[in-house]
Amino acid sequence: MDRVSSFDEPLKKLLGGATAKVMAEHLDLHTVGDLLHHYPRRYEERGKLTALADLPLDEHVTVVAQVADARILMFNNGRGKRLEVTLTDGSGRLQLVFFGHGVHKPHKELLPGRQAMFAGKVSVFNRKMQLAHPTYQLLDASDADEATEAVDAFAGRLLPIYPACKQLDSWRIAKAVDAVLPSAQDAVDPLPASLREGRGFTPLPEALLKVHRPQTKADIEDAKARLKWDEAFVLQVALARRRYADTQLPAAARRPVADGLLDAFDAKLPFTLTEGQQKVSKEIFDDLATEHPMHRLLQGEVGSGKTMVALRAMLTVVDAGGQAAMLAPTEVLAQQHHRSITEMMGELAEGGMLGGSDRGTKVVLLTGSMGMAARRQALLDLVTGEAGIVIGTHALIEDKVQFHDLGLVVVDEQHRFGVEQRDALRSKGKQPPHLLVMTATPIPRTVAMTVFGDLETSVLDQLPAGRSPIASHVVPAKDKPHFLARAWERVREEVENGHQAYVVCPRIGDDAEEAEGKKGKAKKKATEEDPEKRPPLAVLEIADELRKGALAGLTVEVLHGRMHPDEKDDVMRRFAAGDVDVLVATTVIEVGVNVPNATAMVIMDADRFGVSQLHQLRGRVGRGSAPGLCLLVSEAHEASPARARLSAVAATLDGFELSRIDLEQRREGDVLGQAQSGVRSSLRVLTVIDDEEVIAAAREEAVAIVAADPELEHLPELRTVLAALLDKDREEYLDKG
């Protein structure tokens, strides 16, 4: 059988139809290779055989002994029963104890005189050593050799505990693994020999044997170190090849021009750029000046000035004769960007218009809800090149939209934008345009290397001068209702001091469809977790209560995703102008809404939001010179994980620290799952959180290997493994990266 085909062998052939069906349906295991890569989650220690006289306390031991006597004792007025068994091995005595339903089987089997092996953790009860609920295996004394063999096999082993399902428990999976384990010899080793030897790694067949059937703890460590490397390395090679392929594409170099738009814009800035903004701008300008498309991820805290950096990149491209497009996930955000960019540019955004600057260009907005006439004009300005900058939603991607010479695409909030959409916009350039992806969600370095590994990364971690600190507090509404009353008083005080406030709710709360759909779901979920739990609080209900109660007399308006775009825009304009005191909204305000006069935010049912989302929301306040206040209202119990999450958010303003906490709490599934189905299902031993060094080292090796041999012609094994990893979905994901 050749090396690849034994791994591709369907499980049905080796395990029979019924078992294979359960494995396929419930564990997503289809081939021999899949099962060999289904690693144990942990190992049960049975300890070495120990004489009863030498039992160590609090350790797992395995003993072989004879049953001296066994008796059932009643307690709790006869309602409970306990089986006590006394063992002896000539060196000492030991008591076993079984409770409740666990009494029946041992009562029938552990008869005086029987010999058996017992494994469990040694504890002390009533000054006597005992094992509570040990596992055991009876030894048939008729065959001494067989008994000795059974003792050896049972005692010294680390028993693998597999990720299992209701239909198939761990020991049956272990038996199935025994059946396919000989095929481990046929494993195709993806690591180049020089790398494997240089790092002293166990060969892959041996690593697979050790991970499934370890003799010692050192075997497990050995195997895991090797298997983690394989996962990290193969993925990093795939990403390095993507980056390499991108560097081979042609793009028009867009170099800064002296005395152009950018210089004019910089000259009228009322402040100096932070060091971070200058450093990141230089990285971007260097990329734009090359004849290959830039692929850069710009991470920056809320309010760190990403838009300013992106705008300067767009102006450079316009100076060099090209056009720049900025893609926003929502209309509210597109309008917001358009408004703030035209305000920042002033007369420079009015090229060709009366009062506009000679050096100016046109900045147009393109969204789905625009009137026909405005839309037609915007399309015309794009195709003629009159408009140097366009800001829009996915309406920019429609076939009708033609550019004169698209040079740069800026994507805001990458995680809300499908890779297909990014690709469609990219295809509108004569040559592939440069690409800058921005996110305000701080991404830990390991995730950036794994998830956005085909993008170079720039980080803005300084806040511009003049940004105020934000105080955050958890408001336990259930335990201390007077805290909530005080929260509304604080909002009133902020308004009386001339400021404004946001109140954020998880739900909108109108319309029959919503009521039956989301509320139904909320209720169903609530009863499963906690019969007392109610549906999440809703914007319309809370706004109504506040107008009549705690905030009576203030101007309270609502903003949510189901409002007509004109209506949304009107509310946002009035809020920005200071005509609205309190805006009760859903998370539509999470990204990009910029009202420096808003100083307070109350987040209702804060435990229903993720850590990163809370951090994003909080970044909407304290954007001016007055300090910000963020109150996280929750009915979660003080000892619950939800409350721990909120306390973490209240304790730090460092988004990278929070993203790490978020990641540790959710583990990587959710984080990787958003965009990276392929990445996630290929990580079995590697954890993005804990294995930063492995990922960084694997990336370095991968880059060197791909630079030397982009087609991996001299590494056929690596090519084979890569092809297996990159099935259709994953390949598409990486292609569109």
Side-chain angles (χ1 to χ4, degrees), residues 273-280 460 462:
L273 297 174
T274 64
E275 243 174 83
Q277 284 175 316
Q278 289 172 2
K279 179 178 142 283
V280 168
L460 273 177
Q462 282 172 296

Side-chain angles (χ1 to χ4, degrees), residues 75-102:
F75 61 93
N76 208 355
N77 291 333
R79 286 200 295 277
K81 58 167 91 167
R82 177 170 85 236
L83 171 65
E84 285 184 1
V85 178
T86 306
L87 302 181
T88 173
D89 72 346
S91 75
R93 292 168 86 80
L94 175 69
Q95 191 163 6
L96 312 179
V97 59
F98 300 86
F99 293 99
H101 298 302

Side-chain angles (χ1 to χ4, degrees), residues 480-491:
K480 299 178 179 167
H482 59 287
F483 275 37
L484 183 58
R486 176 71 189 119
W488 299 127
E489 278 172 30
R490 283 291 289 112
V491 169

Side-chain angles (χ1 to χ4, degrees), residues 65-70 84-89 96 106 109-116 118 138:
Q66 201 168 37
V67 177
D69 71 72
E84 285 184 1
V85 178
T86 306
L87 302 181
T88 173
D89 72 346
L96 312 179
E109 293 180 338
L110 298 178
L111 305 170
R114 293 295 302 260
Q115 198 178 29
F118 303 88
L138 296 170

Side-chain angles (χ1 to χ4, degrees), residues 566-717:
D566 291 349
E567 221 183 328
K568 276 191 241 178
D569 205 36
D570 175 55
V571 171
M572 267 325 299
R573 271 180 197 285
R574 287 188 297 118
F575 188 63
D579 301 337
V580 173
D581 298 323
V582 178
L583 188 62
V584 184
T586 54
T587 53
V588 289
I589 62 150
E590 178 186 349
V591 280
V593 173
N594 185 21
V595 180
N597 192 44
T599 53
M601 176 178 284
V602 180
I603 303 178
M604 307 303 291
D605 276 344
D607 47 282
R608 313 258 180 156
F609 299 97
V611 170
S612 307
Q613 203 173 22
L614 291 169
H615 181 61
Q616 291 271 352
L617 286 165
R618 167 171 65 185
R620 299 292 122 219
V621 295
R623 296 176 79 86
S625 51
L629 172 69
C630 178
L631 301 174
L632 306 166
V633 179
S634 166
E635 290 189 359
H637 189 273
E638 197 168 353
S640 66
R643 270 290 280 282
R645 254 196 349 256
L646 296 183
S647 301
V649 174
T652 179
L653 291 171
D654 179 342
F656 284 93
E657 175 57 27
L658 285 175
S659 67
R660 195 167 179 85
I661 291 169
D662 195 16
L663 197 52
E664 279 174 357
Q665 291 195 333
R666 296 189 294 166
R667 299 311 286 179
E668 43 263 12
D670 299 5
V671 180
L672 300 182
Q674 290 174 345
Q676 293 58 34
S677 57
V679 173
R680 182 172 161 195
S681 48
S682 68
L683 300 187
R684 298 181 191 277
V685 220
L686 189 75
T687 62
V688 173
I689 304 160
D690 307 323
D691 295 317
E692 184 163 341
E693 280 119 42
V694 175
I695 293 168
R699 180 177 168 123
E700 222 168 278
E701 295 274 12
V703 169
I705 279 168
V706 171
D709 181 6
E711 293 306 310
L712 308 178
E713 283 171 21
H714 304 296
L715 298 168
E717 292 84 1

